[in-house]
Amino acid sequence: MKIVAQIKEPVYKEMELFESKFRDSMTSKVALLNRITYYIVNRKGKQMRPMFVFLTAKLLNNGEVNERTYRGASVIELIHTATLVHDDVVDESNKRRGFFSINALWKNKIAVLVGDYLLSKGLLLSIDNGDFDLLKIISVAVREMSEGELLQIEKARRLDITENVYYDIIRQKTATLIAACCSLGACSVKPESKDVEAFRKFGELCGMAFQIKDDLFDYGAQKIGKPTGIDIKEQKMTLPLIYALNNSSKKEKSWVINSIKNHNKDKKRVKEVIAFVKEKGGLDYAVAKMLQYRDQALQLLHSYPESDYRAALELMVNYVVDRKK
């Protein structure tokens, strides 16, 4: 059995029901909107985020979920989808998971409006049901994600990212959404319990490991969706590169910075930078950090009793660092 199917198995029933509830949460009186949201729903990815919500809730609640859990999963998926639609506009990206993006098919104006619509649907789903505790979790996540993206843009201009700033960026940009999934799952069944914060932390640790793994793909570890060296072309400072720069001579440092700033479209030069980062031990260092986050997440999980849901979350944590794409 494929690993994603194994992770999904203990929440398979909930995920099936969630899909129809999620589809309903998107409906509108506007035919164009329904056509676009239908397109979005049918091109879904692995749906890791709702799985985090359901697995956490079932782990904490003797294998039971409630309507709030379904709403929490729908809210996170609506907001996440809204951010992806907006991201594709910002990045001028024409593809998403191998399919045409919304902006490629319906142009930017419509894509931005669809993103706004999904965001408002997510917020109203919480408000209409009085889930203000869930709404707070998701609103904090949206704020953090926006701040993380802007911090990255600000720093990319000057290429002066320290290792600590890099962790701040990925914590806000990526980890905060996975943290929100886990705390939403916990809060849906055990509001105001210490488990809400414990699982927020667990999700954050998973998210940190996830993003470092993503950054490693840029160095050609495996064949994945994005071409090798794309972060360098986009002047993104990732952990392997930061480590290599911190362990370089002044001359090497200025060559790398100059390469990224002025020669990032030169394939040969990008390859040389990749080789330099590998030679300086940047990849080994990033892998070690990623495994550290994984181990901390597993340690936190092991403070809860054994169950199918805990086992699935352990699989999820290991999948995050072992995945090939």
Side-chain angles (χ1 to χ4, degrees):
M1 193 190 285
K2 273 192 168 169
I3 191 140
V4 178
Q6 269 177 278
I7 295 165
K8 199 176 190 173
E9 202 176 7
V11 289
Y12 187 78
K13 190 171 97 263
E14 287 79 8
M15 290 296 291
E16 290 287 292
L17 185 53
F18 161 73
E19 287 201 20
S20 65
K21 285 178 183 280
F22 180 55
R23 194 175 269 115
D24 292 346
S25 70
M26 281 191 177
T27 52
S28 152
K29 292 188 178 77
V30 180
L32 173 63
L33 245 176
N34 287 335
R35 203 153 65 238
I36 296 169
T37 54
Y38 177 79
Y39 178 82
I40 290 169
V41 169
N42 287 331
R43 274 147 195 80
K44 61 184 184 304
K46 295 186 192 78
Q47 292 190 301
M48 288 300 190
R49 286 159 195 85
M51 278 193 253
F52 269 120
V53 177
F54 290 118
L55 286 168
T56 303
K58 290 186 90 168
L59 181 145
L60 292 171
N61 201 36
N62 303 318
E64 298 294 319
V65 298
N66 56 29
E67 279 305 312
R68 268 164 57 87
T69 317
Y70 284 103
R71 289 198 294 271
S74 292
V75 166
I76 203 95
E77 202 64 346
L78 282 164
I79 306 271
H80 174 59
T81 308
T83 61
L84 293 183
V85 171
H86 282 163
D87 277 354
D88 287 339
V89 175
V90 171
D91 299 339
E92 299 174 353
S93 175
N94 290 324
K95 285 281 177 83
R96 165 74 58 186
R97 297 189 189 116
F99 295 97
F100 283 113
S101 58
I102 303 302
N103 47 303
L105 291 172
W106 285 281
K107 300 288 177 277
N108 282 352
K109 185 176 181 178
I110 288 176
V112 171
L113 293 170
V114 168
D116 292 346
Y117 172 77
L118 295 173
L119 195 61
S120 67
K121 283 296 256 191
L123 301 178
L124 285 168
L125 184 61
S126 296
I127 292 166
D128 292 345
N129 291 285
D131 298 328
F132 296 107
D133 49 354
L134 303 185
L135 182 60
K136 184 171 184 186
I137 291 169
I138 197 67
S139 302
V140 168
V142 173
R143 182 196 69 200
E144 296 251 305
M145 285 156 68
S146 312
E147 283 180 351
E149 287 284 358
L150 287 162
L151 179 60
Q152 185 171 44
I153 290 166
E154 179 194 344
K155 294 294 179 182
R157 285 182 178 155
R158 296 204 301 271
L159 297 180
D160 62 349
I161 294 187
T162 62
E163 197 171 321
N164 284 338
V165 170
Y166 165 80
Y167 293 134
D168 283 344
I169 289 171
I170 68 169
R171 187 174 290 110
Q172 291 181 300
K173 220 183 79 157
T174 304
T176 193
L177 192 65
I178 299 174
C181 295
C182 299
S183 53
L184 278 173
C187 192
S188 72
V189 293
K190 290 263 189 89
E192 293 178 35
S193 68
K194 65 179 189 347
D195 300 312
V196 178
E197 173 54 24
F199 272 91
R200 186 204 66 77
K201 187 69 191 162
F202 166 76
E204 185 180 275
L205 292 164
C206 285
M208 298 294 279
F210 180 92
Q211 187 56 53
I212 295 173
K213 177 71 172 182
D214 245 27
D215 293 346
L216 282 162
F217 282 138
D218 201 48
Y219 290 86
Q222 266 93 21
K223 280 273 173 280
I224 51 148
K226 69 175 188 179
T228 306
I230 199 138
D231 287 341
I232 294 168
K233 291 186 185 90
E234 290 176 0
Q235 300 189 14
K236 279 183 189 160
M237 299 286 279
T238 60
L239 189 54
L241 182 60
I242 292 163
Y243 179 82
L245 284 172
N246 286 344
N247 291 277
S248 302
S249 66
K250 213 170 177 181
K251 192 180 168 192
E252 288 169 329
K253 208 172 189 170
S254 64
W255 173 80
V256 173
I257 299 281
N258 179 36
S259 302
I260 294 168
K261 271 191 169 166
N262 305 314
H263 304 281
N264 55 28
K265 302 286 186 283
D266 177 343
K267 281 183 184 166
K268 183 173 173 285
R269 194 75 171 253
V270 168
K271 269 186 183 163
E272 285 169 5
V273 172
I274 290 172
F276 173 80
V277 171
K278 286 179 181 173
E279 190 190 312
K280 286 286 177 186
L283 299 196
D284 296 337
Y285 182 77
V287 168
K289 281 288 177 190
M290 173 182 76
L291 296 178
Q292 220 174 309
Y293 282 115
R294 178 201 65 185
D295 293 345
Q296 286 176 304
L298 289 172
Q299 196 182 342
L300 202 154
L301 204 51
H302 289 156
S303 61
Y304 288 86
E306 269 188 56
S307 67
D308 289 348
Y309 316 111
R310 194 187 90 169
L313 283 168
E314 281 172 28
L315 263 180
M316 183 88 97
V317 176
N318 285 309
Y319 172 71
V320 158
V321 299
D322 295 334
R323 66 202 164 95
K324 302 286 184 275
K325 60 178 179 177

